[in-house]
Amino acid sequence: MAKMWAGRTAGLTDKLADDFNSSIRFDCKMYKQDITGSMAHAAMLGAKGILTEEETQTLIDGLSQILADLEKGALAFDWQCEDIHMFVEQELTNRLGALGKKLHTARSRNDQVALDLRMYLREETDRLTAEVKGLLEVLLEQAETHRATILPGYTHLQRAQPVTFGHHLLAYAMMLLRDLDRLQDGRKRINCSPIGCCALAGTTYDTDRWMEAERLGFTDLCRNSIDGVSDRDFCVEFLNTCAILMMHLSRFSEELILWSSWEFRFVELSDAYTTGSSIMPQKKNPDMAELIRGKTGRVYGDLMALLTTLKGLPLAYNKDMQEDKESVFDAVETVHQCLQVMTPMVETMQVRADRMKLAAQEGFINATDLADYLVKKGLPFRSAYKISGELVAECMKRSCVLETLPLEVYRSFSPLFDEDLYPEIALETCVEKRISEGGTSASSVDAQISYVREKLGKEETSS
Ligand code: ARG
């Protein structure tokens, strides 16, 4: 069948070239945006007298019929069409005859595809925003429950200082808050309308780009028509936000994997989010967390692929840009799936406070507090640090911990030690005294929870 753009050429491309060129297989995802955009376009053409009122109404009715038929499965995509835009126009022309061919007045597929993609990403940004908020809620709940649960905090994956589990979880909450910020900020740049830029140069028709934009919920216009059809920054930014968000989910997943290992046993993931082994009966594998970690690579790939596609393109539209959609769709789907699994997995995980406490008791993680004790008694920190280190070595020699090392031994290292040292180095004290802003004490954790809640509340009202 000859193409709709047959004219200069007969429009008869090679079958393989046709398949290679076509995007309907994936851009059919944007049928709703395409049709809604076209309805706004017809309305604008009517309002400006470019189409008659009757023509406008017939086009809008025809388009809404096509949308309804697609939604209820009464109309199937024609995979022979080059893309979703051609499909809708072809279907409209089949139904309305010559009038269908008038819809494409004062626009081009170049501004049309940019419009569809922006509308799609605006919706997806809102969906992901809601999902990230859902994960944040679950994190807040767990943090509240474990505001005073003690575990070792790590640096270099070596036990470092005691922290509360609530504090640790809230570190992820802060990351997710920034992800929300990035999503919202990017949305501002997504929400500019490119329609009316036409092929690249604008149009000689007396159109009203603002009218069309406002009808579609855009708050701004692409102010330069060449930029409007060339710009995919909004996709790159979106993918960047997704990549960072995935990096956060991946780090969290890595910890869940580690914590659910027999060596740690800090958490037990619900059976619903683990799998068994086909050969080893004792196994409970954290597949979901591993997949989230693994899929992070895909999303990074999506970002890199699009950046690379765009880097050498002259202005304005080039067919290379058709590649934008698969990267964007893949990232959207992947992040969505990961959030959907991550949230209930975190919600249902069992936290083993007993195991955490045990680990906290074993790694001399109160050695800093021991040094601080001597500092408070007047010793310079560096000297106090040295004595503390020597005491740790002494404990290791004696197979005991700082809490059980006898006072006489302490005194043989420094006369400054007294009975009052024991309550000072109790794990509970180490944690409770860290009340500096952002610190690990239960009261600091409460303050951080309030901060996140307040941020979430504000988000709600501002969007
Ligand atoms: N399928 C194309 C894309 O996704 C639509 C725009 C085509 N424009 C053109 N001049 N060939 O980018």
Side-chain angles (χ1 to χ4, degrees):
M1 195 171 63
K3 294 289 178 304
M4 292 175 86
W5 42 256
R8 170 174 170 176
T9 72
L12 296 167
T13 33
D14 173 79
K15 169 84 180 78
L16 267 179
D18 247 6
D19 291 345
F20 187 65
N21 193 42
S22 137
S23 55
I24 191 158
R25 229 178 342 100
F26 47 87
D27 63 21
C28 60
K29 203 188 257 296
M30 304 192 301
Y31 71 89
K32 198 165 161 191
Q33 290 81 4
D34 196 74
I35 295 172
T36 321
S38 287
M39 286 160 87
H41 189 63
M44 185 279 290
L45 292 176
K48 296 300 288 178
I50 299 167
L51 294 178
T52 68
E53 243 174 63
E54 198 194 327
E55 286 175 326
T56 306
Q57 205 44 56
T58 313
L59 281 175
I60 292 178
D61 291 346
L63 285 163
S64 75
Q65 265 306 318
I66 293 176
L67 181 57
D69 288 350
L70 281 172
E71 308 246 87
K72 63 172 190 270
L75 172 65
F77 294 114
D78 176 357
W79 306 115
Q80 303 305 314
C81 288
E82 189 176 319
D83 52 33
I84 185 63
H85 327 295
M86 290 304 207
F87 167 74
V88 174
E89 193 180 322
Q90 172 188 292
E91 187 59 29
L92 194 67
T93 308
N94 286 347
R95 295 182 181 204
L96 305 181
L99 177 59
K101 299 182 185 175
K102 289 197 178 182
L103 175 66
H104 211 50
T105 313
R107 75 171 182 186
S108 143
R109 272 188 296 161
N110 298 349
D111 54 347
Q112 193 181 353
V113 72
L115 175 74
D116 294 2
L117 197 50
R118 283 173 183 272
M119 287 168 68
Y120 166 83
L121 268 187
R122 194 171 61 183
E123 281 168 37
E124 292 305 328
T125 296
D126 292 346
R127 181 167 69 140
L128 291 182
T129 298
E131 288 171 350
V132 172
K133 283 181 181 172
L135 176 54
L136 266 166
E137 283 299 333
V138 159
L139 272 177
L140 288 180
E141 269 165 42
Q142 287 280 19
E144 244 157 22
T145 312
H146 295 288
R147 58 192 283 284
T149 303
I150 297 176
L151 80 161
Y154 295 78
T155 63
H156 312 268
L157 202 53
Q158 301 288 321
R159 290 174 193 176
Q161 289 180 340
V163 295
T164 53
F165 192 51
H167 187 218
H168 194 105
L169 290 178
L170 283 167
Y172 286 111
M174 300 303 169
M175 298 174 214
L176 293 176
L177 270 188
R178 293 194 294 276
D179 293 328
L180 278 183
D181 246 14
R182 269 183 284 271
L183 280 168
Q184 287 315 301
D185 199 58
R187 194 187 191 283
K188 285 188 250 161
R189 283 174 291 280
I190 291 172
N191 207 20
C192 297
S193 171
I195 198 71
C197 291
C198 304
L200 77 164
T203 182
T204 54
Y205 291 97
D206 178 24
T207 52
D208 186 339
R209 290 190 58 201
W210 278 108
M211 181 193 292
E212 199 167 340
E214 276 160 17
R215 203 172 242 270
L216 294 169
F218 286 97
T219 48
D220 201 355
L221 293 187
C222 301
R223 303 297 181 123
N224 173 297
S225 64
I226 298 178
D227 180 46
V229 291
S230 307
D231 169 28
R232 292 295 182 273
D233 295 6
F234 64 99
C235 299
V236 174
E237 275 195 88
F238 176 82
L239 291 175
N240 177 60
T241 298
C242 288
I244 298 178
L245 171 56
M246 285 301 295
M247 181 260 292
H248 293 150
L249 299 187
S250 184
R251 290 182 80 169
F252 193 13
S253 296
E254 164 62 18
E255 295 212 293
L256 292 178
I257 294 161
L258 209 57
W259 291 339
S260 53
S261 69
W262 203 257
E263 283 69 17
F264 277 82
R265 280 197 290 155
F266 283 0
V267 301
E268 177 153 358
L269 296 176
S270 149
D271 291 0
Y273 302 100
T274 53
T275 62
S277 154
S278 56
I279 170 170
M280 297 163 281
Q282 83 285 6
K283 295 266 277 179
K284 183 170 176 183
N285 296 327
D287 288 30
M288 312 309 141
E290 290 169 283
L291 273 173
I292 294 169
R293 188 177 60 184
K295 283 175 188 290
T296 302
R298 282 175 80 111
V299 177
Y300 289 5
D302 293 327
L303 169 63
M304 282 305 135
L306 185 58
L307 278 170
T308 312
T309 298
L310 294 173
K311 77 180 265 291
L313 296 187
L315 305 182
Y317 177 82
N318 301 269
K319 190 74 174 206
D320 315 45
M321 291 161 81
Q322 180 165 287
E323 291 288 307
D324 57 4
K325 279 169 287 299
E326 280 173 295
S327 295
V328 165
F329 295 163
D330 183 70
V332 163
E333 203 40 42
T334 306
V335 176
H336 163 66
Q337 282 180 0
C338 290
L339 284 167
Q340 270 198 321
V341 170
M342 189 85 180
T343 302
M345 181 166 68
V346 174
E347 188 176 23
T348 55
M349 75 183 180
Q350 291 295 315
V351 177
R352 297 282 308 269
D354 56 331
R355 291 283 310 170
M356 290 181 173
K357 187 71 187 285
L358 221 56
Q361 284 161 345
E362 276 172 354
F364 304 104
I365 60 181
N366 45 3
T368 314
D369 297 82
L370 183 64
D372 285 342
Y373 170 88
L374 290 175
V375 170
K376 279 176 207 150
K377 300 248 163 164
L379 212 60
F381 180 77
R382 200 43 71 204
S383 320
Y385 170 95
K386 185 159 183 288
I387 295 174
S388 274
E390 287 164 358
L391 281 161
V392 167
E394 183 66 25
C395 286
M396 289 173 77
K397 228 187 286 165
R398 294 166 175 255
S399 301
C400 70
V401 293
L402 290 169
E403 293 91 317
T404 52
L405 190 70
L407 187 59
E408 351 32 298
V409 184
Y410 274 109
R411 280 195 202 279
S412 69
F413 282 79
S414 164
L416 293 172
F417 284 116
D418 224 325
E419 274 297 344
D420 62 351
L421 101 94
Y422 293 103
E424 271 307 290
I425 61 166
L427 291 177
E428 288 73 12
T429 317
C430 301
V431 161
E432 271 322 306
K433 283 203 162 169
R434 284 188 164 74
I435 51 169
S436 55
E437 207 153 313
T440 206
S441 66
S443 59
S444 297
V445 168
D446 293 342
Q448 290 165 50
I449 291 173
S450 308
Y451 172 82
V452 177
R453 281 210 192 288
E454 196 189 315
K455 276 276 198 186
L456 281 178
K458 280 208 181 116
E459 283 256 338
E460 225 88 73
T461 49
S462 72
S463 67

